Structures are given as C-alpha cells and as structure tokens.
Amino acid sequence: MRNEKIEMRGSAPPAPRRSRRAPHGDWSRAATTAILVALVGFCTLIALFGPSPALAVSVVLLAGIVGLLGEPRTARLLGSAVALCLVIGVLRTQPELSDAVLAPMALLFCEGMIGVRRRLVAAERAANVDSLTGALTPRGFARMLRSELPQARQDGRTTALIFIDLDHFKSVNDDHGHAAGDAVLCQLVANLKARLLSEDHIARIGGDEFLVFLRYADGCDRIDGFQAKMLGAVDELSYQLTASAGGLILPPADYPDTAAIIHSADRLMYEVKHAGRGRVQFGSLSSLEAQRGIREPARAAS
C-alpha cells in the first residue's frame, strides 16, 4: 500500500539563478570567430588577386573546419561563399585550368566535414543519451556531474542527487511482456521531466534504476516537494507500481569523487526499500574523504 503523499508547500521553488559562462564556451566562440575572420580575409584576397596555392589550400581547409564545427546550414552557406570567391578569383586572373577544381573541392570538403560532424554528434548522443527513454546514460550523467558540481560550488548553489528504483518492476515484464515494461520506463521519464525544472537532469543507469539531479535545491520546498512529484509521476504509470528513492543534499563544495555520491544515494534507496518502500528519504553528505557513505543521520523528506 502506498504511503500517503505529502502536500506541496504554498511557495514556489526558488527562481533559478544564471550560472557563470563556462570558460571552454568562451574559448570555443573565440576560436570560431578567429576562423571566420581568417576565412573572410583569405577569400577577399583570392577574389582580388587570384587563388595562389597557399591561399587556396588555406580557404579549403578552413571551409572544412567550419563544416566540422559549425551548424550544417551555416557551414553550407560559408562553403558556398568560399567557392564563389574561388570562382571569382579564377575568372579575374585567368590561371591554369586546374584551378577551376578549387571551388568544387571546397564544397565537397565542407560537405564531407558536415557528414563527419553528424556522425560524431550521433555517436556522442548514443554514448550519453539512453536510446529507449531519452534520459542520460551513466556515462552522460557522470559527465554532467563533473561539470555541474564545480559550477555549483562557484555559484554557491546547493544541489541534490536522488537514486530512484521502481518497486516490483519485474512483475510488469513477467506478466505483460518486455514491451510493456519498456513503455513504463519511457512513461516514468516523461512524467518526471514534466514535473521537474528544465535545468534538472534524469539518467537511466540500468533496468528500472534512475538518477535525478536537482540543479537548484537551496529551498526546503524544493526538497520536500520532490517526493510529491516522484509519487505523482509513478501514480500516472499504466500499472500499479511504487518507487523507492534515496537522495543526497549537496551543499556547494568540492566533490572529486562522483561515484561515492551515487553509491551513498544508492545505499539510502535500499534503506527505504527495507523500511517499506514507496517514498523518498534524504540525507546530507558532509564529506567524501572517508568515502564510507553518509555520516550525518538521514531524515525523511515528508
């Protein structure tokens, strides 16, 4: 029998604060700007003075880099502009016939790099996003934590990590088939996403086990309200199920070992299972130095 759901408090969760811009993002934008400036300069020289071997090779390579790094539509436009400048340069200086292949070469190279980029993006997505539910994979979640936790420390922002396990999920697969079980997993992720903030993250780490990362957990309402959100998401599933969850409140600090955080949340979740299932229990992780789990006593979220 399900535990009675807690009531949401009247006040809304704290408004998300804008995080600082990541340094690698600034570097990427600066590099892209530099490439575009160089490309415009080289194309102008080619249009005015003709495609010397060095300039021709430079613009073709830069067009390929833009195709690899930029959005396909933008890359195609720039590739077309490069090809046009090469054509203009060839017509103005009337060089050898072999120079006429430079424009199509630039287009083909740019298109090839666009294809490479698409394959890289697809491979990256396959590694970081679960193909069934659209949630993050364990690799994607670990990568997210390595980025989010240092940023939260810089911002002075409290976060939370919750380990969720569906109770008796195996009975759905046994009684109704794996297709029904897959549908339940997809439905749970969709229900959770509908209740959480867009800045929060959900991962499927195997079978019917999930991780949730709350990017903003400074207010009590945010933590206390999570149980109602989780139970509401489970209530709307196609089959009568419950869920057990253990969560860690993470104040802004240096957390070098994300695996220890996940392991501690996992232990809390199993405490909930042994105590009767169907609820969330939160605890605080004071330090990861000993890496022996939670030192502070856990408290119920309800």
Side-chain angles (χ1 to χ4, degrees):
M1 184 173 176
R2 295 178 190 267
N3 288 10
E4 184 179 355
K5 291 190 235 180
I6 62 174
E7 294 294 329
M8 295 286 290
R9 296 188 182 181
S11 57
R17 290 173 292 187
R18 296 289 182 183
S19 59
R20 300 175 187 174
R21 187 174 293 174
H24 70 272
D26 292 334
W27 178 90
S28 177
R29 278 184 289 274
T32 303
T33 301
I35 291 173
L36 292 177
V37 170
L39 191 59
V40 170
F42 289 158
C43 287
T44 302
L45 291 175
I46 287 174
L48 293 175
F49 304 108
S52 68
L55 286 176
V57 170
S58 297
V59 296
V60 170
L61 288 177
L62 288 175
I65 293 174
V66 171
L68 184 62
L69 300 180
E71 293 298 323
R73 182 178 178 182
T74 303
R76 286 195 178 95
L77 289 174
L78 290 173
S80 300
V82 169
L84 179 61
C85 289
L86 287 168
V87 170
I88 293 173
V90 169
L91 293 177
R92 283 176 60 86
T93 57
Q94 296 181 351
E96 297 179 1
L97 183 62
S98 59
D99 291 334
V101 303
L102 291 175
M105 183 185 299
L107 288 174
L108 290 174
F109 190 49
C110 183
E111 192 65 31
M113 290 300 99
I114 290 174
V116 171
R117 182 180 188 275
R118 282 178 173 169
R119 288 190 288 273
L120 290 174
V121 170
E124 182 74 8
R125 178 174 175 80
N128 293 314
V129 180
D130 179 54
S131 59
L132 175 65
T133 63
L136 294 173
T137 61
R139 178 181 183 274
F141 194 82
R143 180 178 180 181
M144 177 275 300
L145 278 184
R146 288 194 296 269
S147 172
E148 287 284 3
L149 291 177
Q151 188 65 56
R153 178 175 57 83
Q154 292 179 18
D155 296 342
R157 172 166 40 83
T158 298
T159 60
L161 184 144
I162 303 101
F163 196 114
I164 302 175
D165 183 86
L166 280 177
D167 301 320
H168 308 300
F169 174 74
K170 186 175 181 296
S171 63
V172 176
N173 285 330
D174 292 343
D175 298 340
H176 305 281
H178 288 280
D182 290 346
V184 166
L185 298 177
C186 293
Q187 191 177 8
L188 176 62
V189 171
N191 292 348
L192 287 172
K193 286 182 176 180
R195 287 167 168 79
L196 299 176
L197 298 178
S198 59
E199 294 90 348
D200 297 331
H201 300 275
I202 304 172
R204 181 189 177 206
I205 60 172
D208 59 342
E209 294 180 332
F210 296 87
L211 287 170
V212 171
F213 180 77
L214 303 182
R215 197 165 189 262
Y216 305 94
D218 296 278
C220 292
D221 288 353
R222 181 81 162 125
I223 297 301
D224 293 344
F226 180 81
Q227 177 164 276
K229 294 178 185 294
M230 185 193 79
L231 294 180
V234 175
D235 279 342
E236 291 183 0
L237 296 178
S238 302
Y239 301 93
Q240 189 73 14
L241 295 171
T242 60
S244 301
L248 291 178
I249 302 169
L250 303 173
D254 185 21
Y255 299 102
D257 191 345
T258 56
I261 299 175
I262 296 173
H263 176 68
S264 297
D266 184 23
R267 290 183 58 186
L268 261 180
M269 181 271 295
Y270 274 102
E271 289 181 13
V272 172
K273 278 188 175 290
H274 295 153
R277 306 174 188 265
R279 63 185 178 88
V280 183
Q281 179 172 303
F282 276 93
S284 296
L285 191 64
S286 60
S287 174
L288 291 178
E289 293 178 359
Q291 297 184 11
R292 294 178 180 175
I294 299 172
R295 293 190 172 188
E296 297 181 8
R299 64 178 179 83
S302 57

